[in-house]
Amino acid sequence: MSAIAALQERFALPATLHFEAGENGLTRAVFTTPHAQAHLYLHGAHLTHYQLTGQAPVLFLSGCSEFAADKAIRGGVPIVFPWFGARSDDKSAPSHGFARLRDWDVASTTLHHDGSATLELSLAPDQASQKLWPASWEMSYRVTVGATLHLELSVRNTSDTALHFEDVLHTYFVVGDVHRVGVEGLGSTEYLDKTDAMQQKRQNTDPLHITAETDRVYLNTRATCVIDDPDLNRRITVEKRGSDATVVWNPAQDKASKMADLCDDEWPRFLCVESGNIGPHAITLAPGATHTMSVTISA
Ligand code: TA6
């Protein structure tokens, strides 16, 4: 029996959730619920598509994304773990950690009374991850697709020593034109400006308008953010729990032109509003403890 047939037999939810070969033959789960459709690849437990019936897609997916075993998918919701960005002590280590490069296992599927569905996936260390980051841990990721999108990422420390890590749900949102949206919720918030040698600054305006390459790690914020999009005539709400940092990123023309997995004309049509625990907000987990971060997206 093929791997997909085995997943179908164990976890498919008739008329709501099935497994199939997606881009480049990578296995994906396809959600079809009364309110929304979604795709999630087992590669990286990477949610690549979420679309409410009758609306433009909420998640951006690059048309030039490589769906390769050793590459992260460009767009959707990459899972960043156990470090954010480049590893300071190992330049050869993959950017944003290894969780988004690994094939995750399906743990369970659940159909709810309102027609929404939850897919739970799990990840544990393997030889490759142990070489990069020798630690004992277990991750679970629960994705609930319905009138809202609910993402819940848990990390459990299965060792007898403290576990120190960063985690981010690095969400790419579709926008009509990044120059015309406003991001609400980060006014008066301190941030590290990655476009200006990580200078710590304070955002005095609310909403934030994107006028150039923007790459900011906002600190000490549990705020709900809203992307107000006049072109698509919608407001995307990003609510979070268990996260003290928010990242806002758009590469603009110059950086985008250097990204092989982003097509030339795509960069004005996405904005990343990312929820996580980075730098001063990295997590230190006691032995046996679990940390859960959740994000609820509505449009
Ligand atoms: O979250 C913003 C950021 O850290 C940017 O600096 C940029 O590197 C982006 O992530 C994408 O990183 P990636 O490794 O997916 O190309």
Side-chain angles (χ1 to χ4, degrees):
M1 179 184 289
S2 74
I4 289 178
L7 286 169
Q8 281 289 100
E9 188 171 272
R10 284 190 66 193
F11 298 112
L13 300 173
T16 300
L17 190 153
H18 71 272
F19 295 87
E20 65 180 27
E23 294 285 343
N24 203 17
L26 296 182
T27 300
R28 71 182 180 190
V30 176
F31 294 76
T32 309
T33 76
H35 294 94
Q37 300 74 43
H39 299 159
L40 183 142
Y41 282 82
L42 301 192
H43 177 63
H46 202 129
L47 190 65
T48 58
H49 179 70
Y50 173 70
Q51 182 168 14
L52 289 157
T53 308
Q55 265 204 35
V58 172
L59 299 181
F60 167 84
L61 177 65
S62 169
C64 293
S65 178
E66 299 186 54
F67 285 82
D70 62 344
K71 288 269 191 334
I73 295 168
R74 177 66 64 192
V77 186
I79 296 175
V80 173
F81 175 86
W83 60 81
F84 179 77
R87 261 283 285 272
S88 52
D89 58 351
D90 177 358
K91 292 298 176 218
S92 66
S95 166
H96 290 333
F98 49 74
R100 64 178 185 169
L101 301 173
R102 294 275 309 283
D103 286 351
W104 289 53
D105 294 319
V106 176
S108 69
T109 51
T110 309
L111 179 63
H112 304 289
H113 297 306
D114 64 358
S116 64
T118 297
L119 169 62
E120 179 172 10
L121 304 108
S122 62
L123 188 70
D126 65 2
Q127 262 191 341
S129 73
Q130 289 287 35
K131 278 206 192 91
L132 283 168
W133 195 62
S136 300
W137 48 272
E138 284 171 356
M139 286 181 93
S140 72
Y141 185 42
R142 286 170 297 286
V143 176
T144 301
V145 173
T148 63
L149 176 65
H150 185 73
L151 312 174
E152 208 170 275
L153 185 68
S154 296
V155 180
R156 189 161 79 86
N157 179 0
T158 56
S159 77
D160 54 10
T161 55
L163 188 70
H164 187 83
F165 63 89
E166 296 173 313
D167 62 353
V168 175
L169 291 172
H170 190 301
T171 311
Y172 289 68
F173 291 99
V174 167
V175 295
D177 178 346
V178 74
H179 301 103
R180 289 170 39 83
V181 302
V183 181
E184 301 166 9
L186 297 167
S188 308
T189 308
E190 299 279 326
Y191 63 92
L192 302 176
D193 188 344
K194 289 180 71 173
T195 67
D196 186 10
M198 295 300 273
Q199 288 295 306
Q200 184 155 334
K201 303 175 181 177
R202 182 186 178 84
Q203 179 179 308
N204 295 317
T205 60
D206 195 353
L208 165 70
H209 290 293
I210 308 293
T211 56
E213 178 191 355
T214 303
D215 197 348
R216 301 181 175 188
V217 178
Y218 288 85
L219 304 170
N220 291 309
T221 173
R222 297 181 176 177
T224 294
C225 290
V226 177
I227 301 172
D228 185 65
D229 186 339
D231 293 313
L232 295 183
N233 190 28
R234 71 179 175 191
R235 290 168 60 83
I236 297 177
T237 299
V238 186
E239 190 180 350
K240 62 175 189 171
R241 297 212 185 307
S243 157
D244 286 327
T246 293
V247 178
V248 176
W249 175 60
N250 180 277
Q253 175 66 49
D254 182 39
K255 282 281 172 60
S257 65
K258 300 182 178 74
M259 297 168 66
D261 58 357
L262 196 61
C263 304
D264 290 347
D265 58 350
E266 286 183 325
W267 66 268
R269 294 206 310 280
F270 79 83
L271 179 64
C272 285
V273 175
E274 310 160 33
S275 311
N277 299 287
I278 308 168
H281 302 303
I283 302 296
T284 297
L285 210 45
T290 297
H291 180 270
T292 297
M293 168 171 64
S294 68
V295 173
T296 302
I297 293 163
S298 51

